[in-house]
Amino acid sequence: MPLRTAHALAVLLCLSAGFTTTVRGQAATPHGKPQVTNPASTLPQALRTVPLVYPDTVDLDWSTGRVRLAYVVDEQGRIGQVEVLQGAHPAFTDAALDALLATPYRPAVKDGVPVAMRVQRDYQFKLQHTGVGTVLNLRGPARNGSARAELAPALQQAVWPVYPAGLLRSGVTGSARVRARIGTQGEVSEVELLAASHPDFGRAAVAMMQAWRFDPSGTVASPQRTLEYEQRFSAARPADSGVPASATQLLERLALGGAAATAVAGVVGAGDLDAPLRPLLQVQPGVPPSLRQARVAGSATVDFYVDAQGRVLLPELASASHEDFGWAALTAVNQWRFEPPRRGGQPVVARGRVQLKAEAPL
């Protein structure tokens, strides 16, 4: 769920030995009916329906929700260049992405020739069972946090926080409370850390809130629109903060491996895969206010794992020019999705590294 910025951001992927490619972020396609990049005789066709799985890892304060995704179906029917345009609860977004990326497609055809096409699709979630609690007045994550809003508009796009890998590894539980000021266009213009049980929980909560986006429609232009949010991190229930079960399983295997942890855990280096890691969804980190105000460039290198379903696990900073940009980069990479890595034709867990750079704001 990208936070749009006016600066140029280069994403340098170093995902296999000797392999580097530069990717530029693309603007979102306007909301509405399916959008196409090329006129075609036939639209891309889903070959089968993959049912949505209603999230049960978090309590939701609403029983329905919509996720809007834009993506490219290429000439071979492969999905790529995915972008999340709307998703007011990250659990809904995760479920929609799971369904989309498991759907096989027949490509669009123009004049008898397969062509790539960019389309949009809405995923609507409707609660089919009871037992989901109502915790927040604000529409958004519930069991993992609590909120108090003053004139805040509806939440349009939310992301999970990064559970600091070192704290998760050590079983540390805690929380952080932040106050966000919301601009007239629904952007988060300022985030203040009010309290944190551990400094890294505070940094993770601030970076998370900076990536949220609100619906500006039907709201009064007021500089007083604020939201206070307490983000909780539970090592006993990490899924409530968006940590996939595969991440906790990987941590357990890594802990048993000692010096040869990655080998014991079955982790494959990017250079040993059947093909280089192929990103399907890439999110640009927002430039933190500290960098914008100082008008300086930022860079960060993030290490991470990719599980057998293509989800990013346990992102950690290898280096960062500025701490704030480092956490923004972690929060962005935490949302990425990849084509499932394979070795010998079998899905595996892979290790990756990415370098992100932001030019100095003008």
Side-chain angles (χ1 to χ4, degrees):
M1 289 172 274
L3 179 67
R4 275 68 172 179
T5 57
H7 72 288
L9 180 76
V11 181
L12 306 176
L13 282 93
C14 306
L15 301 176
S16 64
F19 176 79
T20 301
T21 182
T22 301
V23 181
R24 291 284 177 178
Q26 294 183 341
T29 303
H31 291 187
K33 296 181 179 179
Q35 305 293 315
V36 301
T37 55
N38 299 303
S41 303
T42 62
L43 297 173
Q45 299 293 320
L47 298 179
R48 63 182 175 87
T49 300
V50 176
L52 287 174
V53 177
Y54 198 97
D56 60 1
T57 58
V58 293
D59 287 332
L60 306 176
D61 75 327
W62 53 358
S63 61
T64 63
R66 183 176 68 177
V67 176
R68 175 167 289 165
L69 303 177
Y71 53 97
V72 171
V73 179
D74 71 10
E75 297 88 343
Q76 288 77 45
R78 300 188 308 171
I79 294 173
Q81 298 180 36
V82 181
E83 184 177 7
V84 180
L85 302 181
Q86 182 177 344
H89 195 293
F92 285 149
T93 301
D94 286 345
L97 287 168
D98 288 343
L100 171 66
L101 298 179
T103 301
Y105 269 87
R106 179 183 295 116
V109 175
K110 179 185 178 184
D111 299 329
V113 179
V115 295
M117 181 179 293
R118 188 170 189 263
V119 297
Q120 289 183 12
R121 181 170 182 175
D122 284 357
Y123 287 85
Q124 186 70 41
F125 292 81
K126 295 183 179 180
L127 185 62
Q128 301 296 329
H129 57 82
T130 60
V132 175
T134 299
V135 180
L136 298 186
N137 292 324
L138 179 78
R139 290 176 290 180
R143 182 187 296 168
N144 61 309
S146 59
R148 181 171 65 86
E150 298 176 359
L151 303 175
L155 181 59
Q156 187 176 63
Q157 224 169 324
V159 306
W160 293 118
V162 173
Y163 202 126
L167 299 183
L168 181 60
R169 192 178 294 116
S170 301
V172 178
T173 291
S175 64
R177 191 169 77 254
V178 296
R179 179 187 292 123
R181 191 176 300 279
I182 302 163
T184 57
Q185 300 304 310
E187 79 284 3
V188 175
S189 60
E190 181 183 346
V191 180
E192 177 186 1
L193 177 63
L194 302 177
S197 60
H198 188 283
D200 279 354
F201 285 147
R203 296 175 184 116
V206 168
M208 172 198 72
M209 186 59 67
Q210 287 172 340
W212 284 20
R213 187 159 57 88
F214 294 80
D215 185 356
S217 62
T219 61
V220 178
S222 168
Q224 302 303 316
R225 296 187 301 174
T226 62
L227 166 70
E228 286 190 13
Y229 190 85
E230 182 180 20
Q231 175 65 49
R232 293 191 281 271
F233 299 84
S234 171
R237 297 184 60 90
D240 291 349
S241 300
V243 179
S246 54
T248 54
Q249 295 164 2
L250 176 60
L251 280 177
E252 292 172 358
R253 297 200 304 270
L254 290 172
L256 298 174
T262 56
V264 172
V267 176
V268 176
D272 295 323
L273 296 172
D274 293 349
L277 284 171
R278 176 177 173 250
L280 304 178
L281 167 63
Q282 293 176 281
V283 175
Q284 299 178 6
V287 176
S290 58
L291 269 69
R292 288 201 302 268
Q293 294 166 4
R295 296 186 177 182
V296 297
S299 65
T301 299
V302 178
D303 290 326
F304 57 92
Y305 298 92
V306 180
D307 71 9
Q309 287 73 47
R311 301 183 187 92
V312 168
L313 311 179
L314 309 175
E316 291 188 89
L317 275 180
S319 64
S321 61
H322 301 80
E323 184 177 69
D324 290 350
F325 185 73
W327 282 95
L330 283 174
T331 303
V333 173
N334 195 48
Q335 302 167 59
W336 288 20
R337 290 290 187 105
F338 287 84
E339 191 171 69
R342 294 179 180 274
R343 183 181 183 184
Q346 299 300 312
V348 294
V349 176
R351 179 83 170 172
R353 167 173 284 194
V354 63
Q355 183 184 21
L356 301 103
K357 293 185 178 181
E359 297 178 0
L362 300 176

